[in-house]
């Protein structure tokens, strides 16, 4: 989705680029005011760094710190604005901004305390400051250029992509490059590899649920600890939960008796969770950050992350933990010392456990399902960072995996359309009336719908809709039948049921006698099932290709970062064929929603039957880009 993804400024930006950026700082908010000839406005103020960042010069521009690490800067009047005899000055304050951030901050006083500036991205940064005098006039600005280092990468990463060709290996590599020591993971208790992987074809995941049978002792473990759990850290992974009947742990760092952290599913609360044992003792208190949504869907890929943040100081009373699901923070950070007076930061000396934990001295709560792309960082990642981590890029493209593929082509008779994905979904079942499988002119099967009673459905949902996903259908609309529909009629190609409505749907709407428009719609409901919000991405032009097969694709990109940093709703996009259609600036979803019922074809839960034919319905975890639609949809 061009224009919606931001990436960090390269750390190798040259000083020439810095000079260019400084010359571009001509925002009206930073224009000088007053008559410089008769009554001079304040001159450019002095800026001094108190660390950790240093000013770039023509021959020296060394990167320091990292995104999110505050820098301290002191502002003082230009020496020419200070009376040499009395030390007095007309300067009464300063206006400050970082070039990559919106708006400016006013700081009062000629000699205010050090100002804290927090760069949000790596690479070249410019701090711009103006002085103000007693007449509320602003003078020309001073630009302080400094370089921000890239933040340290993951210190441990297990992608499970190294399945041996004979499938008999028992070790998966730590593919991280940060630090000198690697921590390969050994597969234990019957754990193996699966081709149900988050990066799609030619990838593998850790299989702790092979052939659907529980393996109560299956897990993977490193020989030693990849992180110091007494300091700030972040853990993340993709999890595919096969059932929700018991507590299950995705990642943990055990001690002698308890775990320094657990990323898990709580069957009691029916929520994802990130917890930490207060101390490494038997029957110790556990502090937990729970997911916002109860009853998250099973048998879907969900990105989970947990952050332990010491705030870069030695004060243990402000240490926090927080769970992130699909890149979004859940609730507020939980302060451990407030949750329990027993809290003490402690370090696990054991290996990382993938698929189990340790409590009261015993390993337990083995995970049932698949785990992929696990990673650990020795720092607290910011929410912005975790949204990008959840994007899971493949060579600059977000990774996708086909999780449902109902293809009518092989079936010319019968009452079901099989799923041909690797995930063995239940078949689409045809309604008793109004739906039938018939061969087309090439002998390929197609679902024929009468627009009155005909539909097909299968068990859903098949994706975690709080994360990115893609839906694509090949459909032909019966022009004669559609012409008979009243103005305002909605015909549903495919939809995910939710409390009597649809959490997502590909829709054709009749706006006037000869004006119909395609759209990709998402709907949110409250606990009582009342609709609380509806957003849609609409086609650029009216529908004219009746009785002709077309490909409709809707994408929801949960990780898309809008021009407004406060907008974390993600973006919807509709494609007709391979052509991206215009979207509303408000095309993101302001409240999270998740379908709970069947996936349907040819109607929604509340009707809206469509007359025509459907050849294929596919659903991906992850948002296809325009390039991905061009490669995978036709």
């Amino acid at each position: 989705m061009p224009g919606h993804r931001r990436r960090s400024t390269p750390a190798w930006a040259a000083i020439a680029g810095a000079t260019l950026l400084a010359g571009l700082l001509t925002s009206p908010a930073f224009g000088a005011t007053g008559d410089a000839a008769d009554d001079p406005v304040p001159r450019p103020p002095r800026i001094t760094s108190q660390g950790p960042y240093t000013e770039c010069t023509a021959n020296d521009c060394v990167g320091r710190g990292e995104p999110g690490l505050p820098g301290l800067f002191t502002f003082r009047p230009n020496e020419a604005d200070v009376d040499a005899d009395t030390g007095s000055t007309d300067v009464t304050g300063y206006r400050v901004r970082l070039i990559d951030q919106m708006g400016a901050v006013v700081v009062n006083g000629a000699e205010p305390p050090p100002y804290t500036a927090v760069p949000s991205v790596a690479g070249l940064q410019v701090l711009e400051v103006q002085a103000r005098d007693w007449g509320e006039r602003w003078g020309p600005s001073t630009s302080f250029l400094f370089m921000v280092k890239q933040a340290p990468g993951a210190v441990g990463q297990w992608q499970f992509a190294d399945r041996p060709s004979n499938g008999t290996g028992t070790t998966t590599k730590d593919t991280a490059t940060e630090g000198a020591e690697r921590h390969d993971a050994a597969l234990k208790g019957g754990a193996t590899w699966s081709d149900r992987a988050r990066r799609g074809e030619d990838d593998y995941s850790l299989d702790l649920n092979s052939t659907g049978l529980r393996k109560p002792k299956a897990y993977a473990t490193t020989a030693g600890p990849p992180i110091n759990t007494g300091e700030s850290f972040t853990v993340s992974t993709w999890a595919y939960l096969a059932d929700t009947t018991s507590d299950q742990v995705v990642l943990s760092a055990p001690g002698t008796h308890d775990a320094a952290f657990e990323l898990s599913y709580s069957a009691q609360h029916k929520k994802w969770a990130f917890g930490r044992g207060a101390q490494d003792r038997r029957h110790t208190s556990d502090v937990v950050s729970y997911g916002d949504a109860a009853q998250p869907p099973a048998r879907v890929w969900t990105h989970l992350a947990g952050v332990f943040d010491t705030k870069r100081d030695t004060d243990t009373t402000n240490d926090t933990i927080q769970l992130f699901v699909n890149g979004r923070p859940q609730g507020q950070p939980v302060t451990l010392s407030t949750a329990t007076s027993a809290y003490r930061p402690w370090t696990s000396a054991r290996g990382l456990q993938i698929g189990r934990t340790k409590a009261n001295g015993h390993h337990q709560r083995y995970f049932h399902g698949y785990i992929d792309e696990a990673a650990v960082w020795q720092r607290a990642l910011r929410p912005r960072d975790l949204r990008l981590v959840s994007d899971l890029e493949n060579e600059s493209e977000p990774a996708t995996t086909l999780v449902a593929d109902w293809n009518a082509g092989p079936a010319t008779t019968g009452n079901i359309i099989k799923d041909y994905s690797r995930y063995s979904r239940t078949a689409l079942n045809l309604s008793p009336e109004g739906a039938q499988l018939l061969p087309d002119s090439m002998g390929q099967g197609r679902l024929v719908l009468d627009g009155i009673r005909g539909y097909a459905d299968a068990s859903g949902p098949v994706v975690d809709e709080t994360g990115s996903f893609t839906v694509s259908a090949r459909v032909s609309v019966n022009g004669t039948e559609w012409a008979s529909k009243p103005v305002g009629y909605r015909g549903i190609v495919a939809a995910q049921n939710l409390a009597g409505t649809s959490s997502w749907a590909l829709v054709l709407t009749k706006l006037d006698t000869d004006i119909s428009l395609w759209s990709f719609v998402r709907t949110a409901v409250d606990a009582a099932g009342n609709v609380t919000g509806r957003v849609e991405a609409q086609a650029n032009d009216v529908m004219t290709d009746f009785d002709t097969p077309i490909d409709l694709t809707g994408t929801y990109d949960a990780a898309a970062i809008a021009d407004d940093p406060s907008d974390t709703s993600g973006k919807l996009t509709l494609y007709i064929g391979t052509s991206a259609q215009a979207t509303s600036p408000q095309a993101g979803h302001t409240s999270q929603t998740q379908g709970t019922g069947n996936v349907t074809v040819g109607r929604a839960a509340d009707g809206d039957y469509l007359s025509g034919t459907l050849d294929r319905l596919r659903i991906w975890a992850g948002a296809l880009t325009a390039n991905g639609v061009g490669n995978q949809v036709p």
Side-chain angles (χ1 to χ4, degrees), residues 7-15 17-19 21 52-56 61-69 73 98-101 118-127 144-152 382 384-385:
R7 293 294 178 254
S8 298
T9 303
W12 40 260
I15 189 63
T19 304
L21 277 178
Y53 303 105
T54 57
E55 186 172 15
C56 290
C61 196
V62 178
R64 304 186 190 281
E66 64 184 64
L69 179 64
F73 298 88
L98 280 173
I99 187 62
D100 74 324
Q101 296 174 2
V118 184
S120 61
V121 296
L124 185 69
Q125 281 283 359
V126 182
L127 182 70
F144 185 101
L145 282 63
F146 61 99
M147 188 70 72
V148 181
K149 286 198 308 184
Q150 292 282 358
R382 302 168 300 159
R384 176 193 180 100
D385 301 328

Side-chain angles (χ1 to χ4, degrees), residues 417-473:
I417 300 174
K418 293 182 179 180
D419 168 42
Y420 289 89
S421 77
R422 300 167 187 253
Y423 289 82
S424 302
R425 305 289 177 188
T426 59
L428 281 170
N429 292 282
L430 276 60
S431 59
E433 297 180 279
Q436 57 182 325
L437 286 167
L438 295 174
D440 63 14
S441 60
M442 302 298 292
Q444 292 290 301
R446 59 180 183 171
L447 172 62
V448 181
L449 303 164
D450 68 356
I452 302 172
R453 295 176 297 275
Y455 69 94
D457 62 4
S459 297
V462 299
V463 288
D464 188 333
E465 296 167 28
T466 66
S468 300
F469 67 94
T470 301
V471 180
S472 185

Side-chain angles (χ1 to χ4, degrees), residues 464-537:
D464 188 333
E465 296 167 28
T466 66
S468 300
F469 67 94
T470 301
V471 180
S472 185
R474 176 164 289 181
V475 63
S476 175
V477 179
N478 185 312
T480 301
E481 291 293 330
W482 186 256
S484 69
K485 299 297 183 184
V487 172
Y489 189 84
R490 289 159 45 91
I492 303 296
V493 176
Q496 167 63 61
N497 289 347
L498 170 64
T501 184
S502 303
S503 60
W504 59 256
L506 290 169
V507 184
L508 181 62
T509 303
K510 192 167 187 177
L511 301 177
D512 206 338
T513 303
D514 56 353
I515 299 177
S516 298
L517 204 66
W518 287 114
S519 59
F520 178 50
V521 183
R522 294 202 71 197
T523 304
V525 301
D526 60 18
N530 301 310
V531 173
T532 58
R534 180 173 283 120
V535 292
E536 61 183 303

Side-chain angles (χ1 to χ4, degrees), residues 527-611:
N530 301 310
V531 173
T532 58
R534 180 173 283 120
V535 292
E536 61 183 303
Q538 293 185 333
N540 293 329
D541 299 312
V542 299
M543 164 67 166
T544 57
D545 296 328
F546 292 97
D547 303 305
T548 302
I550 61 172
D551 289 303
L552 296 174
T553 303
T555 70
Y556 172 60
D557 187 351
I561 298 176
D563 292 334
D564 179 0
S566 65
D567 179 4
T568 61
S569 59
K571 295 294 177 182
L572 295 185
T573 303
L574 172 70
Y575 294 83
I576 298 180
T578 59
S579 175
Q581 306 298 295
T583 60
S584 163
Q586 309 302 321
H589 223 313
T590 55
S591 59
Q592 298 303 298
T593 188
Q594 173 65 54
T596 55
N598 287 348
V599 175
T600 61
V601 170
R603 75 166 191 180
D606 51 355
D608 298 332
Y609 289 87
L610 182 74
S611 176

